[in-house]
Amino acid sequence: MNAPYEGDRAQGTGGPAPSQGTAPGAPVPGQVPAPAPAPDHDPYVQDAYAYDPYRAQDLSAQDPVAEVLYDRASHPPPPPGTFQEPGPLYAAPAAPSYAPDPRVWAQTPPPEPDGPSRHLPYGDHATTTQFVGVDSLVTKAADQDPRPDAFAHLYRDQDAAPRTPAEDAPVAAPAPSKPAGRASSLLKSSALMAAGTIVSRITGFLRTLVIAGAIGVATLNDSYQVANTLPTMIYVLVGGGALNAVFIPQLVRAMKNDEDGGEAYANRLLTLVMVLLGAVTVVCVLAAPLFIGMMSQKIADDPARLDVAVAFAHYCLPTMFFMGMHVVLGQILNARGRFGAMMWTPVLNNIVVIATFGAFIWAFGGFTTTGVTEAGITPEGVRLLGLGTLLGLVVQSLAMLPYLRDAGFKPRLRFDWKGHGLGKAAGLAKWTFFFVLANQLGLIVVTQLATWAGEVADKQGHGGTGITGYNYALLLWQMPQAIITVSVMTAVLPRISRSAHDGDAAAVRDDISYGLRTSAVAIVPCAFAFLALGVPMAGLLYAGSGTQSAQNIGFILMAFGLGLIPYSVQYVVLRGFYAYEDTRTPFYNTVIVAAVNAGMSAVAFFVLPARWAVVGMAAAYGLGYAVGVGVAWRRLRTRLGGDLDGAHVMRTYTRLIGACVPAAAVAGAVAFAVLHYIGSGALGSLTALVAGGISLAAVFLVAAKRMRIEELNAMVGMVRGRLGR
């Protein structure tokens, strides 16, 4: 450690030693004379050399400011070789078999090395230490080059200043001088993605509203939903899960280890996905009738419904190819620290679909005036809706190309797949395939039961109780998850992957804990808001499809409500397994979730009336994830050495739930009273939603402040700081 002292510079540079002829006590050139003994009453000198072996272990006592102000001229260190080496202060601690304790803010330092360096602060060597003045310290402090960080480019995600491709290339960049810099980058990335997701979800809701206005929420929309769900299910089953969970760590490693920054690996992956999805798309289009029958036997048994559903499927199934293109290009950008494109380009898809169904209303009329059904819709109408749906995904995927060019990535076809790590990724993706298969099998069971119950309920005069109501409520229910949890974890996932690769279990645990606690601040209140205000939410959004149909969707949304909490926790916890390239454990966990979901959905279908069967299926969805979280949590805790920061996480969730319970009760009572006196139309739903939302927010903030929820206080402080208040 440098000190503000110029006098004994020669000692550190090999200055002349005392000659044999020098008289004792005479000054030696280049050496500072020994100071006169200080009086015992001097408080600045008294006990200056008191030997305290324990103070050296106290990290809080090592104050850099005090060290700079320390007057070493009055207390020079002993010259080398004139003292007897003391014994070791303490033995080297045994290497722990588990991660460091997160409750200890500073770990025990390693043993000090033998030799003269142990007698100088911060391990300086007595024969080589240079001493300079305060002015030199201040003027040269910025000349020291920080240690380069090969992953720093992952956090230069969306700077305000434009960058050239050379600047965005994966080269070594200076690491931030403070840990807060990286957290700030993560917050910026999360905020950018959250903004994109919010706009995407808002336009997605507008899309569902226009679709409902064009073809209603009854059996015709059920047929469209089944056909439009097929490509997503098959894409996720074939490779979507692997792309999202497995190839991000592989892309990060390629960027770190490959000379070209992982560009060749990314192009090989892109080519492989294009070939695989192209072949699968052709086969699925030819087998569309079989897939429709697999998804809904009720539709397959009705010739008119089957013809319309198959026609929709022929247009919708090719979208899986463009889904794959969009996802793999987005993951390449994510690995390069460009997180915004993948969240913003779906807005274009929604705009295209909104325009398509708007054109259908303009050409053929809205559902409230035409009451169009499978038997009444024309081939031209089916063609218009199908082509518009396909065009939306085409535009969404092609919109990624300018972002890639700006990031310096040039897409090229590369068929040299062998020997470049894709086999390892495919082996990891094997378990992801089984993971998705189990999840999709559960979804198929729910789709079969929901379409069956929806047709029966529709004949009884209860619209919005089939798979369309289920999907519309699910879309609204998943919005907080997509805005908060996915955005936070997408920005954190490259860092978790790097920590796992380096064997730093403590860093992985801290990031998982951060993701859980940060997302909980928004997820828990939203879950209770769906429970308390589900009916006015759906009544406002889907008022055009009929008051009763909108109410039925609201009941489904209420049943989903609290399941949002385990659903979000499950998503975060599984990122820990993926960071360790463990895809087998998530598969087993998903089998449990899918089995519970399918089993409880079957119970709801056979026990409840047709109108309420889908409501029970929505509750079963959250119950399945609640069981899965318990299993995944124990497995990941064992993987990280027996500690997942559980006490801290549980304390945050418990306090948030405690603040939300009275808030939801008050909000539900207010909304019910408003709907009772004004009515369940659009105006009454809007008034109930506003009054209930204000009540929920006010009670929650008061209760949370009393409970001193740290994460909420930090978020409020950040927002107030951004607003300049």
Side-chain angles (χ1 to χ4, degrees):
M1 178 68 186
N2 296 330
Y5 176 57
E6 300 281 357
D8 59 344
R9 186 186 303 273
Q11 180 178 346
T13 57
S19 62
Q20 297 292 339
T22 303
V28 179
Q31 179 176 341
V32 178
D40 295 339
H41 64 272
D42 188 351
Y44 298 96
V45 180
Q46 187 174 1
D47 298 329
Y49 286 95
Y51 181 66
D52 183 5
Y54 300 101
R55 185 170 179 80
Q57 305 176 36
D58 184 7
L59 299 183
S60 64
Q62 300 178 7
D63 186 0
V65 177
E67 176 61 24
V68 170
L69 299 178
Y70 181 71
D71 188 4
R72 193 170 292 187
S74 301
H75 309 286
T82 62
F83 52 84
Q84 182 179 1
E85 287 288 336
L89 298 180
Y90 53 87
S97 59
Y98 50 85
D101 188 348
R103 293 168 293 185
V104 179
W105 70 275
Q107 305 299 322
T108 304
E112 298 180 3
D114 295 332
S117 63
R118 68 185 306 145
H119 295 280
L120 290 178
Y122 304 98
D124 291 352
H125 199 280
T127 61
T128 60
T129 301
Q130 298 286 333
F131 301 100
V132 296
V134 174
D135 294 338
S136 182
L137 276 174
V138 174
T139 57
K140 295 182 179 181
D143 296 340
Q144 299 178 358
D145 294 331
R147 183 178 180 182
D149 184 359
F151 287 88
H153 62 282
L154 294 178
Y155 308 99
R156 304 195 316 270
D157 38 80
Q158 299 292 333
D159 293 341
R163 292 183 173 274
T164 64
E167 291 175 326
D168 289 320
V171 296
S177 59
K178 296 182 181 181
R182 182 168 299 175
S184 175
S185 180
L186 289 175
L187 287 176
K188 288 196 301 181
S189 301
S190 300
L192 176 73
M193 289 184 292
T197 306
I198 290 173
V199 177
S200 176
R201 292 289 172 161
I202 291 175
T203 54
F205 285 128
L206 294 176
R207 167 179 171 165
T208 60
L209 294 177
V210 176
I211 293 175
I215 59 177
V217 294
T219 55
L220 177 58
N221 203 337
D222 285 354
S223 300
Y224 176 79
Q225 291 294 325
V226 169
N228 198 29
T229 302
L230 262 177
T232 303
M233 291 182 59
I234 299 173
Y235 155 72
V236 173
L237 180 62
V238 172
L243 289 176
N244 284 313
V246 175
F247 286 101
I248 271 287
Q250 296 298 324
L251 286 171
V252 171
R253 283 161 178 73
M255 291 179 61
K256 177 181 179 182
N257 300 326
D258 296 353
E259 295 181 356
D260 63 347
E263 182 170 334
Y265 181 91
N267 278 316
R268 294 186 187 99
L269 174 62
L270 178 62
T271 306
L272 178 62
V273 171
M274 291 178 64
V275 172
L276 177 63
L277 287 181
V280 172
T281 299
V282 173
V283 173
C284 291
V285 169
L286 297 176
L290 297 177
F291 286 113
I292 294 295
M294 178 191 68
M295 292 293 293
S296 175
Q297 190 60 41
K298 273 290 185 181
I299 294 178
D301 292 340
D302 188 335
R305 296 188 67 185
L306 179 62
D307 290 342
V308 173
V310 170
F312 278 137
H314 283 156
Y315 293 107
C316 294
L317 282 170
T319 61
M320 76 174 73
F321 177 84
F322 298 99
M323 288 181 194
M325 294 302 98
H326 178 260
V327 170
V328 70
L329 296 178
Q331 299 292 29
I332 292 172
L333 288 171
N334 287 350
R336 283 161 170 74
R338 301 297 186 91
F339 300 101
M342 198 170 183
M343 299 298 178
W344 282 92
T345 48
V347 176
L348 301 176
N349 177 24
N350 292 331
I351 292 174
V352 172
V353 175
I354 290 172
T356 298
F357 280 84
F360 181 89
I361 295 175
W362 177 79
F364 300 98
F367 180 79
T368 55
T369 58
T370 63
V372 61
T373 62
E374 292 90 341
I377 190 171
T378 63
E380 292 78 12
V382 173
R383 189 179 304 116
L384 172 62
L385 300 182
L387 286 175
T389 303
L390 175 59
L391 181 62
L393 264 297
V394 174
V395 172
Q396 174 179 310
S397 60
L398 294 180
M400 301 292 288
L401 297 179
Y403 292 95
L404 290 170
R405 185 167 51 252
D406 184 63
F409 178 82
K410 297 180 180 179
R412 292 187 178 92
L413 294 178
R414 299 198 59 154
F415 296 92
D416 52 336
W417 301 332
K418 188 175 181 180
H420 294 284
L422 291 176
K424 176 183 178 182
L428 296 172
K430 171 184 65 177
W431 290 105
T432 305
F433 170 80
F434 293 128
F435 167 96
V436 176
L437 177 61
N439 198 25
Q440 298 305 314
L441 288 176
L443 181 58
I444 290 174
V445 172
V446 173
T447 303
Q448 285 275 7
L449 299 176
T451 52
W452 194 308
E455 182 176 347
V456 174
D458 188 62
K459 292 179 180 179
Q460 298 173 355
H462 302 292
T465 55
I467 190 63
T468 299
Y470 186 93
N471 287 340
Y472 282 7
L474 183 65
L475 178 66
L476 181 60
W477 177 75
Q478 288 177 333
M479 184 176 180
Q481 161 82 2
I483 294 174
I484 304 298
T485 310
V486 174
S487 299
V488 170
M489 294 310 298
T490 301
V492 174
L493 184 57
R495 194 173 79 176
I496 296 179
S497 301
R498 182 180 65 174
S499 301
H501 181 260
D502 296 337
D504 192 351
V508 175
R509 178 202 59 227
D510 292 343
D511 284 332
I512 294 294
S513 174
Y514 167 82
L516 288 170
R517 292 181 287 105
T518 303
S519 59
V521 174
I523 292 297
V524 175
C526 287
F528 280 88
F530 289 138
L531 178 64
L533 305 173
V535 172
M537 285 182 188
L540 176 63
L541 292 173
Y542 304 108
S545 60
T547 302
Q548 188 178 31
S549 298
Q551 259 189 348
N552 291 330
I553 297 175
F555 292 140
I556 299 173
L557 181 59
M558 291 179 63
F560 272 118
L562 296 183
L564 183 64
I565 299 173
Y567 179 69
S568 175
V569 173
Q570 171 94 340
Y571 181 89
V572 176
V573 171
L574 291 187
R575 302 310 104 177
F577 293 109
Y578 292 139
Y580 283 101
E581 300 182 351
D582 178 7
T583 53
R584 181 182 302 183
T585 301
F587 160 67
Y588 291 131
N589 196 77
T590 302
V591 169
I592 296 173
V593 174
V596 174
N597 183 23
M600 296 306 298
S601 295
V603 171
F605 176 79
F606 289 108
V607 172
L608 298 176
R611 179 184 179 183
W612 302 105
V614 177
V615 176
M617 296 177 196
Y621 193 85
L623 179 62
Y625 278 98
V627 175
V629 163
V631 177
W633 183 275
R634 289 195 297 269
R635 289 177 180 266
L636 184 59
R637 183 179 59 189
T638 303
R639 182 66 180 267
L640 296 180
D643 184 17
L644 199 54
D645 201 14
H648 195 183
V649 173
M650 289 303 298
R651 182 167 60 251
T652 299
Y653 275 83
T654 302
R655 291 181 177 180
L656 286 170
I657 292 174
C660 287
V661 169
V666 173
V670 170
F672 177 80
V674 172
L675 291 175
H676 178 73
Y677 286 105
I678 299 181
S680 301
L683 178 60
S685 297
L686 175 61
T687 307
L689 185 59
V690 172
I694 294 175
S695 302
L696 188 145
V699 176
F700 170 74
L701 290 176
V702 171
K705 184 177 181 181
R706 293 298 183 92
M707 294 182 180
R708 299 179 180 178
I709 301 175
E710 300 174 1
E711 292 76 13
L712 180 62
N713 294 336
M715 179 175 290
V716 172
M718 180 184 68
V719 173
R720 293 180 63 182
R722 292 294 179 89
L723 296 177
R725 298 177 181 177

